[in-house]
Amino acid sequence: MLEKRIIVCLDVRDRRTTKGVAFKDNVDVGDPVEMAKHYYEQGADEIVFYDITASAEKRGIMIDVCAAVAETIFIPFSVGGGLSSVADMRAVLLAGAEKVSVNSQAVRNPGIIEEGASLFGRQCIVLGMDALRDPAMPSGYRVVIDGGRVKTERDALAWALEAERLGAGEIVLNSIDADGTKSGYELAATRLISEAMGIPVVASGGAGKPEHLLDVFTKARADAALIASMVHFGTYTVRQIKDYLAHRNLPMRMEW
Amino acid sequence: MRVTVVDYGAGNLKSVETALRFLSADFTVSADPGDVIRADKVIFPGVGEAAAAMATLKKTGLGEALALFHRGGRPLLGICLGSQIVLDRSEESDTACLGLVPGTARLFPKQPGFKVPHMGWNRVRPLRPHPLFAGVPESASFYFVHSYYPEPEAKEDRIAATDYVIPFTSALARDNLCAVQFHPEKSGRVGLRMLGNFLAMN
């Protein structure tokens, strides 16, 4: 049985992770490579790096991070943020990333999904989508871009389906309403999108405790769940979350 | 010991390389048929479409080199697309393959609730003892990304199975050839263990 994936998300700026973290053991908490290794050893099924580097000149740094991560962890990892061309995609894939994630760039230029999928394979191309609750939209959710600052005229469900048709191999659905609340994932949106798609849907935004992952896997049928602060601040370990879910009969990877 | 990783343009070989480097293997990544024929061991990875991959293997002479190497009796490990191309044929674009192991690569049947490709972690149940699985826990999971799966004709060639839509062969072996549908190079410590087991095979 295909297992539910737990994906740890790290925000990286200029080769440092940005969110505060509270590890007590000997982990350099600012170093993305060290942190990736830490979560790999805790049993994370996948790691996502979001490159939030402000300037284009510093983008190359992310390539070095990828190369170092690839030498250190032997599970899939992906990179998102700032990839605006297939050349950008190729660089991180050749550095060892398994997948690349496009978000605002794909809304501005949907062709990048198609181009990326034909060059590197659909399994490499992830659509990141930020959705905002909006009763005026047909599905009830509106696509927003640039970190949630800019509203688009796209409907979330319609855009997800279009991205799948263009060649996206996976969708990360990030709820702007739930993000940062720690009160649980946006279950209705996740379920709506997941049931409509033929590709895996990763839920993102709102995770605060293991129960939230249980809900999003069972009630919203997510294929994978993204977590960040609940492990970055040392509240839980990945192992604790997996134990909790495995005890409730969810298929999880428990040997690593 | 000289290991050749066959580079025939099917996907990114970076993760196979880093895993082998981590295991301190003496290896070369090569598109030269001579490097395949002269190797002590060959790793035949690959991600992509079967017909395109077979066309490249024919054009470059790598397909012939693989068959020659295989007849020499030295260990060969196919990974992902490599585990399908060693069979007689693939349902993907109805492609004639290398024919090193009797069998067919088949597309997962459509079933509601099962997304294709099969992507993510899944359990691999050994069906019979094989050196590839030495020290690998029975409940271990491996990382998969694929829409087609290998189906060797002979039951004894199937060494492990995985459940997705149907129970399918996730690892096969016949004589000196073994092949896995999953990606050991991306499957954490148990995957590295399996690659190490292959490197230790004679």
Side-chain angles (χ1 to χ4, degrees):
Chain A
M1 198 176 187
L2 186 61
E3 289 158 350
K4 298 294 187 183
R5 284 174 283 150
I6 294 188
I7 304 175
V8 178
C9 178
L10 294 168
D11 287 341
V12 181
R13 183 199 291 268
D14 303 345
R15 217 198 182 284
R16 304 292 288 174
T17 49
T18 57
K19 275 189 183 153
V21 278
F23 299 135
K24 291 181 188 81
D25 21 19
N26 295 323
V27 177
D28 175 355
V29 293
D31 180 0
V33 182
E34 280 280 307
M35 289 186 68
K37 183 169 182 240
H38 177 78
Y39 291 124
Y40 167 66
E41 284 168 355
Q42 277 190 6
D45 299 312
E46 222 169 293
I47 309 276
V48 177
F49 296 95
Y50 276 109
D51 181 4
I52 53 170
T53 299
S55 66
E57 307 86 71
K58 288 182 176 166
R59 290 266 179 248
I61 296 170
M62 199 60 206
I63 308 298
D64 300 338
V65 171
C66 286
V69 168
E71 304 278 342
T72 312
I73 69 168
F74 296 93
I75 53 171
F77 70 92
S78 56
V79 175
L83 304 170
S84 55
S85 67
V86 289
D88 290 346
M89 289 178 171
R90 178 178 284 118
V92 291
L93 292 170
L94 286 179
E98 166 81 3
K99 308 174 197 176
V100 289
S101 178
V102 285
N103 188 321
S104 310
Q105 308 87 331
V107 171
R108 292 195 181 93
N109 169 26
I112 194 173
I113 297 175
E114 209 166 4
E115 241 184 301
S118 73
L119 281 172
F120 313 119
R122 304 174 72 103
Q123 81 286 344
C124 286
I125 311 298
V126 180
L127 175 75
M129 177 170 75
D130 292 332
L132 185 68
R133 223 175 281 144
D134 187 340
M137 302 307 279
S139 72
Y141 300 90
R142 181 191 291 273
V143 177
V144 292
I145 57 172
D146 296 337
R149 291 188 302 272
V150 177
K151 287 185 181 179
T152 73
E153 289 311 310
R154 284 182 183 273
D155 175 74
L157 178 60
W159 173 226
L161 290 167
E162 186 183 339
E164 177 178 6
R165 189 181 53 74
L166 289 169
E170 185 165 77
I171 291 216
V172 176
L173 169 62
N174 183 50
S175 163
I176 295 293
D177 304 291
D179 201 17
T181 61
K182 294 186 190 175
S183 58
Y185 295 94
E186 192 359 317
L187 298 180
T190 307
R191 181 170 181 144
L192 177 78
I193 306 267
S194 185
E195 288 188 339
M197 311 294 293
I199 56 177
V201 172
V202 183
S204 163
K209 46 187 185 177
E211 290 88 323
H212 296 151
L213 285 95
L214 180 66
D215 285 346
V216 86
F217 287 140
T218 55
K219 295 180 186 159
R221 303 193 184 168
D223 297 282
L226 215 73
I227 55 172
S229 56
M230 66 186 287
V231 286
H232 293 336
F233 295 106
T235 322
Y236 299 95
T237 63
V238 177
R239 160 72 83 176
Q240 283 171 331
I241 299 167
K242 289 187 128 182
D243 279 341
Y244 173 89
L245 296 168
H247 284 138
R248 281 151 189 83
N249 293 321
L250 279 179
M252 307 298 298
R253 180 177 73 113
M254 298 307 289
E255 290 274 358
W256 56 82
Chain B
M1 185 185 68
R2 197 182 142 94
V3 181
T4 296
V5 178
V6 188
D7 179 6
Y8 56 113
N12 191 349
L13 302 180
K14 172 83 180 178
S15 49
V16 174
E17 286 182 60
T18 49
L20 291 174
R21 208 174 304 134
F22 184 84
L23 293 166
S24 308
D26 172 19
F27 73 99
T28 37
V29 177
S30 175
D32 178 355
D35 286 337
V36 173
I37 294 164
R38 285 188 296 271
D40 297 311
K41 285 194 170 84
V42 164
I43 296 179
F44 179 44
V47 171
E49 201 267 332
M54 269 312 294
T56 309
L57 288 171
K58 274 188 198 156
K59 197 177 68 190
T60 55
L62 283 166
E64 221 169 300
L66 278 163
L68 257 175
F69 173 85
H70 177 247
R71 279 202 291 278
R74 283 155 289 163
L76 171 64
L77 174 67
I79 296 175
C80 195
L81 183 61
S83 77
Q84 301 171 11
I85 287 202
V86 295
L87 303 174
D88 294 324
R89 59 176 286 271
S90 171
E91 288 184 352
E92 189 172 21
S93 314
D94 194 19
T95 305
C97 296
L98 293 175
L100 306 180
V101 176
T104 304
R106 299 197 187 281
L107 178 65
F108 279 117
K110 279 204 170 81
Q111 197 165 306
F114 289 92
K115 295 173 178 178
V116 174
H118 171 224
M119 182 166 91
W121 297 84
N122 206 331
R123 300 271 166 105
V124 172
R125 288 181 280 117
L127 299 172
R128 65 171 170 91
H130 190 277
L132 212 50
F133 284 90
V136 174
E138 288 234 356
S139 53
S141 306
F142 290 83
Y143 188 74
F144 290 84
V145 187
H146 63 125
S147 301
Y148 294 79
Y149 61 90
E151 190 178 85
E153 260 168 38
K155 273 219 165 94
E156 60 270 25
D157 292 349
R158 309 172 186 176
I159 62 168
T162 294
D163 298 323
Y164 192 70
V165 190
I166 49 160
F168 70 92
T169 301
S170 48
L172 59 99
R174 188 184 176 94
D175 308 323
N176 56 309
L177 182 153
C178 41
V180 293
Q181 176 59 68
F182 47 84
H183 290 273
E185 75 280 10
K186 282 174 206 146
S187 295
R189 227 168 285 159
V190 294
L192 293 172
R193 172 78 198 224
M194 182 170 281
L195 285 174
N197 287 343
F198 174 72
L199 295 172
M201 277 168 66
N202 293 309

